[in-house]
Amino acid sequence: MENTKNKVVIAGASGYIGHNLLNKLKGKAGLVGLSRNKKEDTDSVTWRSCDLFSLIDAEAGLQGADIAVYLVHSMVPSAKLTQGSFEDMDVILADNFARAAKRQNVKEIIYLSGIIPDGDENLSRHLKSRLEVENILRSYGTPVTAIRAGLIVGPDGSSFPILAKLVKRLPAMILPKWTSSKTQPVALDDVLNSLSKVILNSLKENRSIDIGGPEVMTYRSMMEETAEVLGKKRYMFNVPVFSLSLSRLWLRLVTQTPKEIVYPLVESLTHEMIVQKSNYVAGISDGKIPFRDAAKKAIEADKNKKKKKKKTSFGPLIQDVRSIQRIPLPKGQSADWVGRYYSIWLENFLNPWVKTTTDDALNCKIGFLNKDFLLLELSYSSERSTTDRALYYITDGFLTDDTQNERGRMEFRKIPGQNEVIIAIHDYTPSLPWFIYQFTQANAHLFVMQAFKRHIKKIDEEKLPLPDSCVTVQ
């Protein structure tokens, strides 16, 4: 019997899958939608403004949740200037979500992932990241059900709209080798059915479930059927090569899709995305809607959406920065140690131009030539830090815009289950004019981070001696 009493919190509720899932669950559970932007509550959905890059926001967003649904992916940058890969951004988002779920006593996390081919050790960056997120969500003890899907056939999202645009815009296509790869496309409605069954009949256990439609197809056969749905004659010619760079360029130019979305997806096209017996669950894995029917519905919905499309108004543009780097963690050390060691190394590396001082409370001041000309002040948050996560708020300094910098912070975070640390700056607003900042301070920060990464890697590989203390008392 379906449980109508659970409070279900959906992260990514305003996205492609999320808003459809909310409609699917109306009246069947208490619904809370999480969104970066403020939204008005409705009779069926309570909205919470939540930036999942902030652990505090994530904890507030999941307050009172029985089931937490994770539909978040960070392919598209969320700050005006983003330095870092989508994989590393996904690590932080998933880690915050999992930590918050544990603290708020969430009973189960439901995660929409991608099909992971069995025995394939050379996963694409995209699939490797999906699996890493899955493992991170499980790392704090909250049971996780991962619903793994291949190509989802719907009017929005990424994969199917790209395929449909190719068919619409090219009367003749030279098809590279990846178009012969097999996949098991699944209709959006089937995905929503599978998600809702898992959400409403929670088993509170760790499991991974593959889902797919009734047909196993190649990308070429999907293009051919899409052309028939569109009523267009298309000429297709196979070539026996797979050129990653040419395929990226081809898809990006023809479909006008951002490279942040196209590039990771193209890398995954060599994998066979088919439901595996080991991850098959009757009634959840087996989608019923044929590809042709799903494609027809998606194309019609896209046409109707374009007719009704209104101009979107945006608020004032914030000149904020997000910079994320991943570095190795020396054996026996913690993320907190990396944070303390960084200030010592920074002075040695940039000597004599930069001077750093750290007090007994681990607050760090970074000065130019001497401590009196303050460039940045990093205030250590003892109540929000652990050995696995050291948090410093950016509170002062010549390089900070004090009028805009409300939540600027720098953190050092261990990746669960790995000997790696994420170093991240969030919500930082520089004082330098933006056009100057991009070509000076931003590049300088990347240079310093790469140098620190090489230094830490050398410590780890060559087993160099470490300082007894990483605190320089002021």
Side-chain angles (χ1 to χ4, degrees), residues 49-291:
S49 180
C50 179
D51 178 5
L52 288 179
F53 280 109
S54 164
L55 180 55
I56 292 177
D57 275 19
E59 290 171 356
L62 292 182
Q63 187 173 8
D66 296 301
I67 306 296
V69 183
Y70 191 72
L71 304 174
V72 177
H73 201 358
S74 59
M75 280 185 172
V76 179
S78 57
K80 184 175 181 182
L81 177 66
T82 298
Q83 297 173 324
S85 67
F86 73 87
E87 300 103 313
D88 294 344
M89 288 187 282
D90 276 342
V91 163
I92 294 177
L93 293 167
D95 195 50
N96 279 343
F97 196 79
R99 287 172 182 260
K102 179 67 174 178
R103 179 163 293 191
Q104 298 293 5
N105 297 312
V106 171
K107 296 172 184 174
E108 185 177 9
I109 295 172
I110 313 297
Y111 167 50
L112 181 60
S113 183
I115 290 179
I116 310 296
D118 268 344
D120 194 337
E121 297 180 356
N122 298 312
L123 292 176
S124 67
R125 291 172 57 207
H126 181 248
L127 292 182
K128 193 179 294 183
S129 174
R130 297 289 80 199
L131 184 59
E132 182 175 50
V133 167
E134 192 173 315
N135 292 332
I136 289 172
L137 291 175
R138 290 192 171 114
S139 61
Y140 296 95
T142 303
V144 175
T145 292
I147 301 295
R148 297 174 171 178
L151 186 146
I152 298 175
V153 185
D156 292 305
S158 50
S159 300
F160 180 73
I162 290 175
L163 183 145
K165 286 177 183 177
L166 281 177
V167 175
K168 284 179 185 178
R169 297 174 182 178
L170 293 178
M173 288 177 275
I174 297 176
L175 303 182
K177 192 175 180 180
W178 59 261
T179 58
S180 298
S181 298
K182 293 180 180 178
T183 187
Q184 197 164 348
V186 58
L188 172 61
D189 287 343
D190 282 333
V191 174
L192 298 175
N193 284 334
S194 297
L195 284 170
S196 62
K197 286 178 181 178
V198 171
I199 292 167
L200 298 174
N201 300 282
S202 171
L203 296 183
K204 304 176 184 65
E205 62 183 36
N206 282 312
R207 52 185 178 158
S208 298
I209 303 173
D210 291 355
I211 63 174
E215 305 145 297
V216 174
M217 308 175 71
T218 65
Y219 289 93
R220 173 173 179 146
S221 62
M222 285 190 290
M223 289 180 185
E224 290 171 341
E225 290 212 17
T226 301
E228 290 179 14
V229 170
L230 291 167
K232 294 182 180 295
K233 180 68 175 177
R234 292 295 180 250
Y235 300 93
M236 301 180 189
F237 308 94
N238 289 331
V239 291
V241 294
F242 177 85
S243 173
L244 183 62
S245 57
L246 284 177
S247 292
R248 286 171 170 175
L249 182 62
W250 176 47
L251 289 172
R252 187 182 173 195
L253 289 178
V254 174
T255 66
Q256 295 297 297
T257 304
K259 66 178 182 180
E260 291 86 0
I261 294 176
V262 169
Y263 286 12
L265 291 177
V266 170
E267 294 170 11
S268 301
L269 295 176
T270 55
H271 299 297
E272 290 198 345
M273 309 282 278
I274 300 172
V275 172
Q276 297 158 93
K277 290 182 180 179
S278 57
N279 295 326
Y280 175 86
V281 175
I284 298 175
S285 296
D286 36 15
K288 306 299 183 186
I289 302 172
F291 174 82

Side-chain angles (χ1 to χ4, degrees), residues 408-422:
R409 59 200 183 276
M410 184 174 190
E411 64 172 341
F412 301 80
R413 179 192 301 249
K414 184 180 183 300
I415 301 176
Q418 300 183 42
N419 290 320
E420 293 179 309
V421 168
I422 290 286

